[in-house]
Amino acid sequence: MRKSKKIFWLFLAPCLITFCIAVVIPTLTGIYYSFTDWDGLHANCDFIFLDNYISAVRDIYFQNAFVFTFKFVIITVIAVNVVAFAAAMLVTQNIKGKNLFRSIFFMPNLVGGVLVGFAWQFIFCDVFDSIGEILGINWLCDWLSTKSTGFWGLVILVVWQMSGYMMLIYIAQIQNIPENLLESARIDGASSFQCFWKIKLPLMMPAFTIGLFLTLTNCFKLYDQNLTLTGGGPAKATEMLTMDICNTAFSRNMYGMAQAKGIIFLIVVALITVSQLMFTKSKEVEM
């Protein structure tokens, strides 16, 4: 037993060391700097206690980014999971070319965030403008020039990119549902809708738990697409939390305040994701 424990820790050591270097040490360092006035340029810094946190909460840009991000996350998480679940239900039916459809739905996930942002910027700014001018539809012109259209542009981009990956999670869970359970329900006279609502949907809860968790975390930390699609404009109206934190650190040289914003962001996201996991876990049923 002692020998097996030593081997266990020997194999686990590289992962633990990497985790400490990449996550634990930077997090603890960030917490320390969040209580200082470090500007990122000079080695010396003074300890200012909670001043950064107070300033962060009072920062109008941080407040706007907070509200904008929460609206974006709520709508995008629902949209991504609904589209992904619908696509999973479609490609698990006995239809021709379902494997081809799976590949097509998944392909957007293979494209990097920066490239996706620039591609959709071209679509919204050039393609939409051309269609709007030809058809005389004014609301298609200057699509990313307002807060509302910039918001929906980000939603469309993320739903298009993330739905394919979530679809694979739902496909795996759908295929894991025992067919004899559905056959028994049909023999007892259950309709297709009843089989879906009473059997498939409850048994899909483990996939919903994973899907909601992944989409929540990915939407909260979205940066590449926000930077390349709107750049936070117009006038910081579409600036999300991650971009506001980066701008505070690298544009305003207020690294201490940026770290304080990051810690607040971390706590809020952790509370939301833990609550989501506890809630959806409680709804799961065993086969």
Side-chain angles (χ1 to χ4, degrees):
M1 289 293 291
R2 289 179 179 176
K3 187 177 180 180
S4 63
K5 286 182 179 179
K6 288 180 180 178
I7 294 173
F8 170 79
W9 285 109
L10 181 65
F11 278 100
L12 191 61
C15 295
L16 286 175
I17 293 170
T18 304
F19 180 76
C20 289
I21 293 173
V23 178
V24 177
I25 294 174
T27 301
L28 295 176
T29 306
I31 293 172
Y32 166 75
Y33 280 120
S34 70
F35 295 103
T36 69
D37 62 353
W38 188 46
D39 60 2
L41 300 175
H42 302 91
N44 298 327
C45 57
D46 297 323
F47 200 72
I48 57 174
F49 300 99
L50 296 175
D51 288 359
N52 283 327
Y53 289 90
I54 296 171
S55 299
V57 173
R58 291 177 177 175
D59 186 0
I60 188 64
Y61 295 127
F62 187 62
Q63 294 174 9
N64 293 337
F66 222 100
V67 174
F68 182 85
T69 302
F70 266 83
K71 289 180 180 178
F72 171 80
V73 168
I74 291 170
I75 293 174
T76 306
V77 166
I78 294 172
V80 167
N81 285 279
V82 168
V83 172
F85 182 64
M89 291 296 295
L90 175 65
V91 298
T92 51
Q93 304 299 316
N94 292 323
I95 58 174
K96 291 183 179 180
K98 61 181 181 181
N99 291 330
L100 176 63
F101 289 132
R102 292 181 187 184
S103 301
I104 293 171
F105 290 147
F106 181 73
M107 278 181 183
N109 187 71
L110 301 176
V111 186
V114 173
L115 185 58
V116 168
F118 283 127
W120 277 95
Q121 186 185 71
F122 169 76
I123 293 171
F124 288 133
C125 293
D126 295 335
V127 177
F128 275 31
D129 276 2
S130 299
I131 295 173
E133 290 176 3
I134 293 170
L135 300 179
I137 304 174
N138 293 328
W139 61 269
L140 281 177
C141 300
D142 301 322
W143 181 265
L144 300 178
S145 62
T146 65
K147 180 180 179 179
S148 59
T149 53
F151 173 84
W152 288 110
L154 281 168
V155 171
I156 292 169
L157 183 155
V158 175
V159 171
W160 177 82
Q161 187 179 27
M162 290 182 59
S163 296
Y165 183 78
M166 296 300 119
M167 178 195 69
L168 295 184
I169 296 173
Y170 292 130
I171 288 174
Q173 187 64 27
I174 290 171
Q175 293 178 337
N176 197 38
I177 297 173
E179 189 61 33
N180 58 355
L181 192 64
L182 297 172
E183 289 179 1
S184 300
R186 294 190 191 101
I187 292 171
D188 291 337
S191 64
S192 298
F193 178 77
Q194 287 175 326
C195 288
F196 169 77
W197 189 257
K198 297 292 185 179
I199 299 175
K200 284 187 177 182
L201 204 59
L203 294 177
M204 287 294 296
M205 283 309 299
F208 287 132
T209 299
I210 298 170
L212 288 172
F213 174 78
L214 291 176
T215 47
L216 271 172
T217 53
N218 286 326
C219 288
F220 268 117
K221 65 182 184 182
L222 194 75
Y223 179 77
D224 294 353
Q225 296 88 334
N226 188 198
L227 176 66
T228 53
L229 186 67
T230 65
K236 295 183 178 292
T238 60
E239 190 175 74
M240 298 183 68
L241 279 171
T242 49
M243 182 175 285
D244 176 71
I245 293 170
C246 288
N247 288 340
T248 302
F250 300 109
S251 298
R252 299 162 64 184
N253 290 330
M254 301 172 68
Y255 279 74
M257 185 174 172
Q259 290 291 347
K261 290 181 177 181
I263 299 302
I264 295 171
F265 183 37
L266 172 65
I267 293 171
V268 171
V269 174
L271 289 173
I272 292 172
T273 51
V274 169
S275 301
Q276 174 263 310
L277 287 172
M278 292 175 63
F279 176 76
T280 51
K281 279 282 186 182
S282 66
K283 300 296 180 181
E284 293 181 8
V285 295
E286 296 183 1
M287 297 186 192

